[in-house]
């Protein structure tokens, strides 16, 4: 069995996992060496750690034990499992790592998660999605309607790894024209009892130059794969996948905190990043940038969208045309605000709306929690009812003519289904993914399939806005 494990390409994942943890590479190397008898080659290639290594911390020992246990169990499993079964095992195994991340500072844990995805230290979904989950939006085929919201991969570091997890689409950003640190730390607060997070990051971003460089490299790689691939039909009028791979890539753009001309910031973002995006998002709803939400007013929004649309349309585009332009709005809006936004969206033929960003409210029973007094936007389960209500209202106001992305409080396939019935064409999650990890994604897709079939829908498309009809 040992020989077959070492010859398998799946051993790469195990070795990467071990190299990611303290002292893990040396311990795993000893295990493999004793099994195969090739101690010299393996130990020299793994770490080269001196025999008198520093004593690892308690957290380090715990993590090392967990990861090595995963590696050994996975190795034993590889020789008997088929690709799909092994893929499912890997996703389930990530649940064992979640408790470790919960021990870390929220922002440190977030950084480690992005790093893991960027280095492909996460499972890759090998199983095709059920056909019932596929849908067409903006002339592009989505393999499923479940996406990752902006805020997780702010600087487009891990697009390929995140899409590989099985998301139908991933949105990066918010990206600001100039680099900025964001608000002082601490600025992310967990409320695990409520499945919620409060953040006041304030558009911390490496800036459009750095992000454009990363997306440009990914775009070039994708183009090269397209020219050598014979899988896609040249006569297919609907684009399969997007500019970053098999999934769809959205780019969320914001303004710098000190900028006096917000529209100029968004225009700059469009000019620099739109060529790499399957869709663009104007983020005017974060509560953590002073004055940003004022751009949701009728006149301000109309003027802003006109300028950004003009900037996008003046660029030269191939036959596929420019990327769709969406606006992300807040859940803390009055009836009149919603009517104004709907009127602007219809009049200017906006391509879509994302509903919604985080809330500055503190719904019960969370309002009594000590951290509820922290400034910032609340995301997670307590936001679900509010954001879904706003979503349904906007679907009615726009008469179902504009694709809506439902975001806010989704933590299960049933939640995603309720958003779709309320008018969402696509859905996004973030906070639930932060708590649940990669294992949540296939679980949600399976639950969504069950919900659709239970109510007699043959596709996601048929269920959109069912509660509004």
């Amino acid at each position: 069995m040992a020989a077959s494990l070492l010859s398998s390409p799946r051993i790469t994942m195990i070795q990467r996992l071990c190299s990611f943890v303290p002292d893990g590479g040396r311990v795993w190397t000893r295990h493999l060496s004793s099994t195969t008898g090739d101690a010299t080659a393996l130990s020299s290639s793994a770490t080269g750690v001196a025999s008198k290594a520093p004593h690892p911390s308690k957290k380090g020992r715990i993590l090392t034990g967990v990861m090595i246990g995963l590696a050994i169990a996975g190795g034993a499993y590889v020789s008997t499992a088929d690709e799909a079964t092994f893929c499912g095992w890997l996703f389930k195994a990530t649940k064992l790592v979640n408790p470790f991340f919960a021990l870390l500072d929220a922002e440190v844990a977030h950084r480690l998660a992005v790093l893991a995805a960027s280095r492909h230290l996460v499972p890759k979904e090998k199983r095709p999605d059920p056909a019932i989950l596929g849908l067409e939006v903006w002339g592009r085929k989505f393999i499923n309607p479940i996406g990752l919201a902006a805020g997780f991969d702010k600087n487009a570091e891990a697009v390929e790894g995140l899409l590989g997890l099985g998301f139908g689409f991933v949105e990066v950003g918010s990206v600001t024209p100039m680099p900025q640190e964001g608000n002082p730390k601490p600025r992310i607060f967990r409320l695990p009892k409520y499945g919620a997070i409060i953040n006041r990051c304030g558009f911390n971003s490496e800036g459009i130059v750095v992000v454009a460089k990363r997306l440009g490299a990914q775009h070039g790689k994708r183009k090269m794969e397209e020219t050598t691939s014979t899988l896609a039909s040249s006569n297919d009028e609907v684009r399969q996948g997007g500019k970053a791979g098999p999934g769809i890539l959205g780019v969320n753009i914001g303004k710098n905190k000190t900028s006096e001309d917000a529209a100029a910031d968004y225009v700059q973002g469009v000019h620099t990043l739109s060529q790499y995006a399957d869709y663009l998002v104007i983020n005017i709803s974060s509560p953590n940038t002073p004055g940003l939400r004022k751009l949701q007013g009728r006149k301000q929004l109309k003027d802003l969208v006109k300028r950004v649309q003009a900037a996008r349309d003046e660029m030269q585009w191939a036959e596929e045309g420019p990327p769709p332009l969406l606006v992300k709005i807040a859940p803390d809006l009055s009836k009149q605000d919603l009517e104004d936004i709907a009127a602007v969206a219809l009049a200017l033929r906006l391509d879509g709306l994302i509903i919604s960003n985080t809330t500055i409210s503190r719904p019960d029973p969370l309002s009594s929690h000590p951290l509820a007094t922290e400034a910032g936007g609340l995301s997670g389960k307590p936001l679900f009812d509010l954001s879904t209500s706003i979503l349904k209202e906007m679907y009615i106001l726009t008469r179902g003519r504009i694709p809506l992305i439902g975001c806010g409080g989704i933590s299960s396939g049933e939640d995603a289904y309720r958003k779709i019935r309320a008018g969402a064409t696509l859905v996004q999650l973030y906070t639930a993914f932060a708590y649940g990890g990669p294992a949540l994604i296939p679980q949600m897709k399976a639950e969504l399939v069950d919900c659709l079939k239970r109510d007699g829908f043959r596709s996601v498309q048929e269920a959109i806005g069912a509660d509004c009809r």
Side-chain angles (χ1 to χ4, degrees):
M1 178 183 290
S4 65
L5 297 185
L6 290 173
S7 63
S8 169
R10 295 170 187 155
I11 198 67
T12 304
M13 171 68 77
I14 298 169
Q15 289 173 329
R16 285 176 175 172
L17 287 172
C18 291
S19 67
F20 190 58
V21 300
D23 208 31
R26 180 163 55 86
V27 178
W28 176 240
T29 298
R30 288 203 302 267
H31 173 75
L32 290 180
S33 301
S34 63
T35 307
T36 64
D38 191 7
T40 304
L42 285 171
S43 61
S44 61
S45 63
T47 57
V49 178
S51 59
K52 295 183 179 180
H55 188 67
S57 65
K58 183 177 179 181
K59 289 182 180 178
R61 292 196 303 273
I62 293 173
L63 180 59
T64 299
V66 170
M67 299 305 287
I68 292 175
L70 285 174
I72 294 172
Y77 195 57
V78 169
S79 61
T80 59
D82 59 66
E83 192 74 27
T85 305
F86 180 72
C87 180
W89 178 87
L90 277 180
F91 274 91
K92 290 178 181 178
T94 61
K95 293 181 180 180
L96 300 177
V97 185
N98 289 349
F100 164 72
F101 282 91
L103 296 174
L104 301 175
D105 170 79
E107 196 151 356
V108 172
H110 178 201
R111 183 62 203 148
L112 282 177
V114 173
L115 182 64
S118 69
R119 296 188 177 182
H120 301 280
L121 297 172
V122 292
K124 185 172 183 179
E125 183 59 80
K126 300 285 188 179
R127 300 159 294 182
D129 287 334
I132 193 173
L133 294 181
L135 70 164
E136 177 190 332
V137 191
W138 307 307
R140 292 166 172 82
K141 289 181 179 178
F142 288 69
I143 57 174
N144 69 72
I146 299 173
L148 179 62
F152 185 85
D153 189 8
K154 291 176 178 288
N155 298 300
E157 298 173 80
V159 174
E160 189 176 350
L162 292 171
L163 284 173
L165 287 171
F167 285 110
F169 62 109
V170 167
E171 189 175 311
V172 300
S174 292
V175 187
T176 56
M178 300 298 295
Q180 61 180 29
E181 292 292 328
N183 293 323
K185 299 176 183 179
R187 55 194 181 185
I188 302 177
F189 307 91
R190 296 189 187 105
L191 296 90
K193 178 181 177 181
Y194 302 99
I197 290 175
I198 294 173
N199 94 83
R200 51 170 180 264
C201 291
F203 285 174
N204 50 311
S205 172
E206 293 182 8
I208 57 174
V209 173
V210 172
V211 173
K213 184 177 180 180
R214 289 196 185 111
L215 292 179
Q218 296 164 13
H219 184 60
K221 179 181 178 181
R222 172 65 169 165
K223 283 296 183 183
M224 184 174 295
E225 290 173 351
E226 286 179 346
T227 57
T228 57
S229 175
T230 58
L231 296 177
S233 170
S234 59
N235 297 322
D236 193 1
E237 294 182 359
V238 181
R239 186 190 187 99
Q240 178 67 54
K243 295 182 179 180
I248 303 297
L249 175 66
V251 177
N252 184 305
I253 52 179
K255 67 175 287 290
N256 281 113
K257 183 176 181 179
T258 58
S259 176
E260 296 183 1
D261 187 349
D265 278 13
Y266 291 107
V267 166
Q268 188 176 353
V270 167
H271 280 158
T272 309
L273 300 174
S274 59
Q275 60 185 313
Y276 309 120
D278 291 303
Y279 70 87
L280 288 167
V281 182
I282 304 173
N283 187 354
I284 53 173
S285 52
S286 170
N288 302 314
T289 297
L292 186 68
R293 289 192 170 192
K294 292 180 180 179
L295 297 174
Q296 295 174 115
R298 185 166 188 152
K299 183 180 184 305
Q300 295 93 327
L301 180 60
K302 186 175 182 179
D303 292 343
L304 175 62
V305 171
K306 278 185 173 181
R307 283 186 62 178
V308 175
Q309 284 178 331
R312 178 198 61 176
D313 296 342
E314 71 185 8
M315 299 174 68
Q316 293 185 346
W317 299 101
E319 292 182 0
E320 67 188 42
L325 183 66
L326 290 73
V327 170
K328 186 168 186 176
I329 66 173
D332 310 305
L333 295 169
S334 67
K335 172 76 170 178
Q336 185 61 55
D337 291 332
L338 295 176
E339 291 176 355
D340 289 344
I341 291 172
V344 171
L346 289 170
L348 298 183
R349 298 183 179 179
L350 198 63
D351 296 299
L353 293 166
I354 299 181
I355 305 166
S356 67
N357 212 316
T358 57
T359 179
I360 56 175
S361 67
R362 300 291 185 263
D364 290 330
L366 180 142
S367 59
S368 60
H369 194 281
L371 290 176
T373 58
E374 292 287 350
L378 171 71
S379 62
K381 290 182 180 180
L383 178 57
F384 182 82
D385 289 340
L386 175 60
S387 61
T388 305
S389 175
I390 297 294
L391 169 69
K392 187 175 182 179
E393 184 70 21
M394 189 58 73
Y395 181 82
I396 294 171
L397 288 171
T398 57
R399 301 186 287 280
R401 296 181 182 177
I402 297 174
L404 306 178
I405 298 181
C407 183
I410 297 173
S411 59
S412 68
E414 183 72 38
D415 290 341
Y417 180 60
R418 288 177 59 188
K419 291 279 190 184
I420 291 168
R421 289 187 62 103
T425 299
L426 304 166
V427 297
Q428 289 179 325
L429 60 150
Y430 179 178
T431 300
F433 178 62
Y435 281 121
L440 180 65
I441 306 165
Q443 176 186 321
M444 282 186 60
K445 289 190 285 189
E447 292 171 353
L448 179 55
V449 169
D450 290 343
C451 290
L452 291 167
K453 291 182 176 180
R454 179 192 68 203
D455 292 346
F457 294 112
R458 294 168 296 177
S459 67
V460 172
Q461 203 81 40
E462 287 185 359
I464 297 171
D467 290 340
C468 305
R469 293 197 287 265

